Amino acid sequence: MTTRNLLKAVGSLLAVGLLSATLMAQTVAAARYDNEIQTAVAQKLAARNQFGNVQSSVEDGIVTLTGTVDLFQRKLEAAKLARKTAHATGVRNLITVGGPTVSDVQLEQKLATKLRYVRVGYDNTFDYFALGVKDGVVTVEGQDRTGVGRDEALADIANMPGVKDVIDNIGIEPVSTFDDGLRIRAARAIYRDPVLSKYAMDPGRPIRIIVANGHVTLYGSVDNAMDKQVAGLRANQLFGAFTVENKLVVEGSKADQPGM
């Protein structure tokens, strides 16, 4: 081994040693507050009736939560409470969601109805959410223009009895004045059409217009194949649209699945 390689090897060993020493020092420092963190978290949990069946333990600054709650939202709240405790460096949330047993089909139907009215009166025409439920675990995907609709949708899901866990696959559309203009033109073209104007009357059942970087996608359900065809025709006539994808489904068809 050359002198240069030897020096490199020694330097690497020193670096590893320093890193290990730093990590050990951090772990020791975190562990110093374990009893203090445990006391604080236990007091916070005891102060709220909804956490009566939740227990906590602390090791090296990491809070581990176990036990049961009746809603998924309570599980999130318990983790948030622990995370905000002084000197806590992390939270391991092992809480089980109990509550009533609801079939996947029934739960999906309830959530689909709930989410149809997210952001009604604001910009819900430009948001779209789709659900899937398996053993109480809800997977929600779609597109939201601002993030406000996503947060409201996730809050509605978390507070629904029967939900055991949530997988969030909702995307946020890019900020773009060009896309905003295209959204407005698309809404005018579709809702001013005499065949399609009826879809503006029910605020929970609009034709959803999703725009991302000039690409337009239509979601939702319509009464018949002609309405779907007319909506696609109007969207394809939009000035500035790079592509148009018509994902509208006809009510009663096999493709008609829960979507908001």
Side-chain angles (χ1 to χ4, degrees):
M1 179 181 291
T2 65
T3 303
R4 184 175 181 181
N5 289 336
L6 180 61
L7 290 174
K8 284 185 177 180
V10 172
S12 298
L13 289 173
L14 288 173
V16 171
L18 288 172
L19 178 60
S20 299
T22 301
L23 292 175
M24 186 176 294
Q26 291 175 344
T27 301
V28 171
R32 288 174 49 202
Y33 298 103
D34 283 357
N35 291 334
E36 181 181 335
I37 297 169
Q38 172 61 32
T39 300
V41 173
Q43 289 176 345
K44 289 181 179 181
L45 293 173
R48 302 191 183 185
N49 293 332
Q50 61 265 39
F51 300 136
N53 294 320
V54 176
Q55 298 81 42
S56 64
S57 61
V58 184
E59 183 176 357
D60 298 334
I62 306 294
V63 181
T64 298
L65 299 174
T66 56
T68 61
V69 290
D70 59 345
L71 290 173
F72 181 71
Q73 178 63 32
R74 305 289 189 228
K75 179 176 180 176
L76 299 180
E77 290 171 356
K80 183 177 180 180
L81 178 150
R83 196 173 293 113
K84 287 187 173 182
T85 302
H87 306 299
T89 58
V91 176
R92 186 181 295 111
N93 194 345
L94 303 181
I95 295 173
T96 300
V97 180
T101 299
V102 183
S103 71
D104 288 346
V105 172
Q106 185 179 9
L107 185 58
E108 187 168 327
Q109 290 173 343
K110 287 183 176 181
L111 287 170
T113 300
K114 186 78 172 177
L115 265 61
R116 281 194 185 100
Y117 294 91
V118 168
R119 299 291 293 166
V120 163
Y122 295 91
D123 54 1
N124 68 315
T125 299
F126 306 120
D127 297 337
Y128 176 74
F129 307 113
L131 289 165
V133 182
K134 178 65 174 177
D135 298 330
V137 178
V138 179
T139 299
V140 56
E141 55 188 36
Q143 294 291 323
D144 181 38
R145 191 175 68 86
T146 63
V148 177
R150 177 196 60 186
D151 293 345
E152 185 176 329
L154 292 175
D156 285 343
I157 294 170
N159 281 290
M160 179 68 70
V163 173
K164 305 304 181 184
D165 201 356
V166 180
I167 299 172
D168 171 20
N169 291 329
I170 300 173
I172 303 299
E173 296 160 32
V175 177
S176 167
T177 55
F178 175 79
D179 283 354
D180 286 340
L182 191 52
R183 288 185 185 96
I184 297 302
R185 293 196 297 277
R188 288 172 178 169
I190 289 172
Y191 289 114
R192 287 180 180 178
D193 186 286
V195 174
L196 304 175
S197 59
K198 60 186 175 183
Y199 294 104
M201 299 180 68
D202 183 351
R205 190 173 169 261
I207 292 175
R208 309 279 178 166
I209 303 166
I210 303 302
V211 181
N213 297 320
H215 301 282
V216 180
T217 307
L218 303 181
Y219 289 101
S221 60
V222 291
D223 293 335
N224 50 64
M226 186 185 76
D227 289 357
K228 176 178 179 177
Q229 184 177 1
V230 172
L233 178 65
R234 293 289 173 255
N236 275 287
Q237 293 173 339
L238 288 171
F239 173 77
F242 300 145
T243 63
V244 174
E245 190 171 3
N246 189 348
K247 291 190 176 183
L248 291 170
V249 296
V250 177
E251 284 199 348
S253 69
K254 291 183 180 179
D256 186 14
Q257 299 176 349
M260 289 59 67

